[in-house]
Amino acid sequence: MHVLTLVGPEAETLAAALSLGQIVPLGPNAIDVTFEDDAAAVREQVIAAIGDRPVDFAIQPVENRRKRLLIADMDSTIINVECLDELADFAGVKAQVSEITERAMRGELAFEGALRERVGMLKGLSTSALQTCFDERVRLNPGAETLVKTMAAHGARCALVSGGFTFFTSRVAEAAGFHLNRANTLIELDAALTGEVGDPILGKETKLAALNEETAALGLTPADALAVGDGANDLAMIEAAGLGVAYRAKPIVAAQADAKVDHADLTALLYFQGYRFEEFAQ
């Protein structure tokens, strides 16, 4: 048995038109449809039916649908900005840094080299800019806190794993309710950034390693995990997870993920797991 989850303003209308099976409401603009047909064929049918409608969907086996580990990227996934790009704005080099960020997220540049190059442009920036950046520009994306706190309330371990920096992940993790966070470290000297980042660099393979380590520590497998991200350095963990979700993602990520969220907020990831709106942590 498989289940199709539709999230969006036309979800119920689409489900009725598809005529796959019983429709079960999950919450506002979110429904489940269980079916026994070939999942790949149904996926093509759903894609054709959705067209350009603002509806997100996931198709997955009914078994083991609720995940025991959430592993999430931070920048442009759990939060609204790329922190490094925003810091670059304080240093007067945002245009140059943002261009490199975009290329790295699309998989056109090796992550480690791109990170070192961008951090090098921040040399001399006062460390006070980090707190100002966080206070003025960093916001949780809609649904992020509900996603994390709901999964945590139902016994899941929640990990924030970022190619960004611990200064930001520690604060974002606390705000959203993550159990732990991993990221890179900016090197400071005399209240200014040196333009260097601590070794080893946390990137694509380290994110995958974090998924494997956390599932093993819990006595689980990657099939028990939900991974979500938007850039190329998230791809390995997204592909390995039982449910890998591309959130407002670059094409290279969206093409490989089990599901993508282009329209709804992050609570779509709860609906994908079969949570009902009444179960959401408020």
Side-chain angles (χ1 to χ4, degrees):
M1 290 291 292
H2 283 78
V3 59
L4 162 67
T5 308
L6 294 164
V7 182
E10 299 179 57
E12 192 164 348
T13 302
L14 278 167
L18 288 165
S19 300
L20 291 173
Q22 182 181 5
I23 297 173
V24 179
L26 296 175
N29 300 321
I31 60 165
D32 267 353
V33 184
T34 54
F35 64 91
E36 297 185 22
D37 298 339
D38 177 70
V42 169
R43 178 178 293 275
E44 294 304 315
Q45 185 182 350
V46 171
I47 291 171
I50 289 176
D52 59 359
R53 294 178 176 88
V55 176
D56 297 308
F57 77 95
I59 294 175
Q60 58 193 310
V62 172
E63 186 179 356
N64 198 27
R65 184 180 178 192
R66 287 201 180 184
K67 302 307 181 185
R68 302 280 304 282
L69 172 70
L70 168 65
I71 186 160
D73 170 53
M74 181 179 71
D75 296 278
S76 298
T77 300
I78 294 297
I79 63 172
N80 61 321
V81 293
E82 293 288 325
C83 291
L84 183 46
D85 291 2
E86 299 308 310
L87 284 177
D89 198 15
F90 286 88
V93 290
K94 185 173 183 177
Q96 301 96 302
V97 168
S98 295
E99 181 182 1
I100 298 170
T101 299
E102 179 69 16
R103 292 183 64 196
M105 290 178 65
R106 289 182 175 275
E108 298 170 6
L109 298 173
F111 178 79
E112 181 173 331
L115 182 67
R116 292 190 190 279
E117 182 178 1
R118 287 175 290 165
V119 172
M121 296 183 193
L122 303 182
K123 184 177 181 179
L125 181 67
S126 171
T127 54
S128 65
L130 277 69
Q131 189 65 50
T132 303
C133 179
F134 179 79
D135 292 340
E136 294 182 357
R137 305 193 181 187
V138 176
R139 300 290 181 269
L140 294 178
N141 274 331
E145 185 175 3
T146 301
L147 167 65
V148 177
K149 292 188 174 179
T150 299
M151 289 189 67
H154 288 83
R157 178 94 162 150
C158 300
L160 184 65
V161 182
S162 174
F165 309 110
T166 54
F167 180 91
F168 296 101
T169 59
S170 61
R171 289 159 174 78
V172 170
E174 182 177 2
F178 283 93
H179 296 108
L180 67 130
N181 69 94
R182 300 188 188 186
N184 294 303
T185 304
L186 290 166
I187 306 300
E188 306 172 9
L189 180 65
D190 298 330
L193 300 181
T194 65
E196 299 169 308
V197 61
D199 289 319
I201 298 290
L202 193 157
K204 180 178 178 180
E205 295 307 319
T206 319
K207 289 190 175 192
L208 174 60
L211 184 153
N212 290 328
E213 289 166 12
E214 290 299 322
T215 51
L218 295 168
L220 306 173
T221 72
D224 300 303
L226 186 164
V228 58
D230 69 308
N233 66 324
D234 301 314
L235 193 52
M237 71 175 187
I238 285 174
E239 290 180 315
L243 177 59
V245 181
Y247 177 81
R248 309 284 197 274
K250 302 304 178 187
I252 190 174
V253 183
Q256 300 299 320
D258 299 313
K260 57 181 182 174
V261 175
D262 292 329
H263 309 288
D265 66 27
L266 285 163
T267 59
L269 276 64
L270 293 172
Y271 289 130
F272 288 171
Q273 296 176 82
Y275 285 97
R276 300 182 306 280
F277 179 75
E278 306 83 66
E279 297 177 277
F280 287 8
Q282 302 298 333

